[in-house]
Amino acid sequence: MFAGAALAAPPREQPQDQPQDYRWSIALTPRPGAGLSRISVPTDVYLHARSASLADMRLFDSSGKPLAFALTAPPAQSRTQHDTIPVRIFPITGAPAAYSDLDGVEIRTGNDGRLLSVTARGGSTPGAAPGVQALILDAGAPAKDSRIGALRFTLPPGTDNYNAQVLLEVSDDLKQWDAIATTTLNWLRNSDTQTLANDRIEFTPRAFRYARLSWQYGDPVTFAGIAAQQVSITAMAAPRATIALKGTAGKHVDERLYATPIAIPADSIGLQLAEGNTSMPVTLGVYRPASEAPRQRQRLHLRPQARATQAAGFEPLLNTTFYRISMDGKERVSGDLAMPIVHTTQWVLRPQYHSGSNPHSDSVLRLGWTPANLVFLASGKGPYQLVFGKNGASPAALPLSQVAPGFTQEELLSLPVATAATVVALTSDAPVAKTPDGAGWRLAALWAALLLGVAVLGFFAWRLLSQMKQEEGQERGRERGQERGQERGQAPGPEPGQEQGSTDKQGH
């Protein structure tokens, strides 16, 4: 019967994930009215998470409802700057010439490419008055990551009204010209000295140094000034995070061990030496369990002789030289070394030679990484809790296409940024590991049997005490009855037989 009942019983539901199941919490505050928000994953998450992939990270609202979120690489960001630079103007003068004759000019430049002079070599109509045929422009050497997207013109003094159609060509070598734009320039001034002007020629931003301006109709003029509208786009590095680790003595001579949070995706490493005028070639690596197959090793400048010195279980990842040297009152120090991302709970530093002393015992290992970008839906009721720090948690992050469907990269960049509060410990002790399957029921049954035994013993003790009290009460009652009987036997009065006889006589 019990077996049938056990088979018919429905399976037990898994307990729902709750904020109190995690060790740490950070309050997130999105901008009011923002449905989607983003934030760089706080450093405290990497320091306290129990999973290399941040699988133990969750987001809840104030009622404990889980919120959808995605973890992505930080978006590429850039800074756009607009500058106005003056352009040097060189008119091609002479008698009016056809467009095909504009190539027949003599152009002199300096060693740095700076335009020095422009002279027409012929092709003019005999007897015609000389004038401006075209303009050659020098915008200077293009700045790095800069483009020119427009030219703005200023009329010569004394000119109020003007109308012409111009063609703009650009070149980097003054030999090959590329036509990029044509437009109509016009200025119209009324009697109130108000001017209506179209004084710009715009085009797709591009890098160039030289330009040529020719007229398709209208009178060619030498403009008083031409300014180039320069657009500079500078790539911005994603925010970085760093941690400094103090070492402990290792297994071998001069070896140092640096305990590391497993969640840190370290992609740069450096050593801050405690003593000056030190140059120290080292091997950096990790210890792998003997049962674990060695991964493909990634070495930077690995020397062949260093491989033979490695003990079993030690996996060297890179070789480098850290230094701190003073020269002429200035100090040169080794910077951080870039490397592929490494997740580990411990870094191992081994010098490539043994000096008998330990000059790096107080040196600090520095790790750097790029935090991931957290995109989340601000649904439910605030405040929102970002919780983490739980062993054995399964991943909860969703693909970005499910959290922000249809959003472009530009739209994701423009999402409002949430603010993060300081980290708060939710429990005083580390989470207790779950009891293996079946052990919990056996433990509960054992406690139930013990409690039942105690209850049975208590019941029998109570019954025994009750019986003892009852017997004691009966004994005392008998003793009181005997005492009362003795007192009645001593009092004066008729004999029992006589009293009975007189009663009989009266009856007759």
Side-chain angles (χ1 to χ4, degrees):
M1 181 178 66
F2 290 102
L7 292 174
R12 293 184 293 114
E13 294 183 359
Q14 296 293 331
Q16 186 178 2
D17 217 15
Q18 298 178 351
Q20 54 267 30
D21 297 333
Y22 295 81
R23 179 71 175 85
W24 304 93
S25 171
I26 296 178
L28 298 184
T29 305
R31 187 179 300 174
L36 271 176
S37 295
R38 66 181 177 93
I39 189 174
S40 182
V41 175
T43 301
D44 285 309
V45 175
Y46 289 99
L47 299 184
H48 300 295
R50 305 296 179 87
S51 166
S53 61
L54 300 181
D56 58 326
M57 190 172 71
R58 301 288 189 274
L59 191 60
F60 295 96
D61 69 355
S62 60
S63 64
K65 173 188 173 183
L67 303 183
F69 68 93
L71 288 174
T72 66
Q77 300 185 39
S78 60
R79 181 182 61 194
T80 303
Q81 181 177 349
H82 297 270
D83 298 308
T84 300
I85 58 175
V87 173
R88 300 175 67 227
I89 305 172
F90 294 83
I92 303 175
T93 59
Y99 173 76
S100 59
D101 295 330
L102 293 178
D103 290 331
V105 295
E106 183 179 348
I107 300 176
R108 294 176 57 247
T109 60
N111 294 331
D112 58 353
R114 187 171 182 266
L115 201 58
L116 299 179
S117 65
V118 177
T119 306
R121 290 187 298 207
S124 60
T125 303
V132 176
Q133 297 180 4
L135 301 178
I136 302 295
L137 311 178
D138 184 0
K144 184 180 180 181
D145 299 325
S146 68
R147 303 289 186 270
I148 295 177
L151 296 178
R152 185 172 185 176
F153 302 87
T154 302
L155 281 176
T159 305
D160 294 333
N161 299 312
Y162 183 78
N163 183 58
Q165 187 176 56
V166 296
L167 172 68
L168 181 67
E169 301 166 281
V170 297
S171 175
D172 291 325
D173 57 5
L174 294 170
K175 296 178 181 179
Q176 300 293 327
W177 296 90
D178 184 14
I180 61 171
T182 181
T183 192
T184 299
L185 301 175
N186 54 65
W187 287 260
L188 179 62
R189 179 174 295 184
N190 60 17
S191 57
D192 296 331
T193 67
Q194 295 179 345
T195 302
L196 181 65
N198 178 28
D199 59 355
R200 290 167 56 91
I201 180 171
E202 297 183 352
F203 42 88
T204 302
R206 61 182 294 171
F208 63 89
R209 175 160 190 171
Y210 308 109
R212 183 170 66 183
L213 192 71
S214 58
W215 275 256
Q216 295 182 323
Y217 71 77
D219 297 330
V221 297
T222 302
F223 291 100
I226 301 177
Q229 307 294 320
Q230 183 175 260
V231 180
S232 300
I233 301 176
T234 305
M236 298 176 60
R240 298 278 295 171
T242 59
I243 184 176
L245 305 173
K246 293 184 177 181
T248 58
K251 303 177 181 179
H252 300 273
V253 178
D254 293 346
E255 183 181 76
R256 299 294 288 176
L257 306 179
Y258 298 87
T260 310
I262 185 62
I264 290 180
D267 58 8
S268 69
I269 192 167
L271 188 68
Q272 183 178 341
L273 295 170
E275 296 186 6
N277 291 329
T278 302
S279 178
M280 183 168 49
V282 299
T283 298
L284 288 162
V286 296
Y287 276 116
R288 301 291 183 193
S291 58
E292 215 177 276
R295 300 182 307 171
Q296 183 179 3
R297 297 176 179 177
Q298 300 166 352
R299 302 180 180 90
L300 300 175
H301 312 295
L302 186 60
R303 300 177 182 176
Q305 63 269 25
R307 184 182 302 178
T309 63
Q310 309 305 327
F314 175 72
E315 181 180 353
L317 297 182
L318 54 93
N319 277 10
T320 189
T321 298
F322 294 114
Y323 58 87
R324 180 182 174 185
I325 302 173
S326 297
M327 287 292 295
D328 300 328
K330 297 181 180 180
E331 194 171 57
R332 295 184 180 183
V333 295
S334 51
D336 291 351
L337 182 67
M339 63 181 181
I341 292 178
V342 176
H343 287 276
T344 183
T345 57
Q346 186 185 75
W347 276 95
V348 183
L349 183 146
R350 287 183 174 182
Q352 294 181 3
Y353 60 87
H354 303 296
S355 61
S357 61
N358 199 350
H360 57 276
S361 59
D362 295 330
S363 300
V364 175
L365 191 71
R366 184 172 55 250
L367 299 177
W369 72 95
T370 301
N373 199 44
L374 173 68
V375 180
F376 66 96
L377 279 170
S379 59
K381 298 180 179 180
Y384 303 103
Q385 265 188 304
L386 182 67
V387 298
F388 47 95
K390 178 183 178 182
N391 291 324
S394 57
L398 299 175
L400 183 61
S401 59
Q402 296 182 14
V403 178
F407 278 70
T408 64
Q409 186 72 12
E410 291 74 16
E411 290 174 326
L412 292 174
L413 272 173
S414 62
L415 288 178
V417 179
T419 57
T422 56
V423 64
V424 176
L426 294 180
T427 57
S428 57
D429 297 321
V432 179
K434 292 183 178 180
T435 307
D437 295 341
W441 289 104
R442 291 193 295 270
L443 184 61
L446 177 61
W447 277 105
L450 291 175
L451 292 175
L452 180 62
V454 171
V456 171
L457 291 175
F459 174 75
F460 282 116
W462 174 76
R463 288 292 304 270
L464 181 60
L465 290 174
S466 299
Q467 291 177 358
M468 291 176 63
K469 289 181 179 180
Q470 185 177 5
E471 292 176 355
E472 183 179 358
Q474 293 176 352
E475 182 66 25
R476 290 180 179 177
R478 285 194 295 270
E479 291 178 355
R480 285 196 296 268
Q482 292 176 359
E483 291 177 356
R484 286 196 295 268
Q486 292 176 359
E487 290 176 356
R488 284 195 297 268
Q490 295 175 359
E495 294 293 333
Q498 296 176 356
E499 183 178 357
Q500 184 68 29
S502 60
T503 304
D504 295 340
K505 290 180 180 181
Q506 293 176 0
H508 289 293

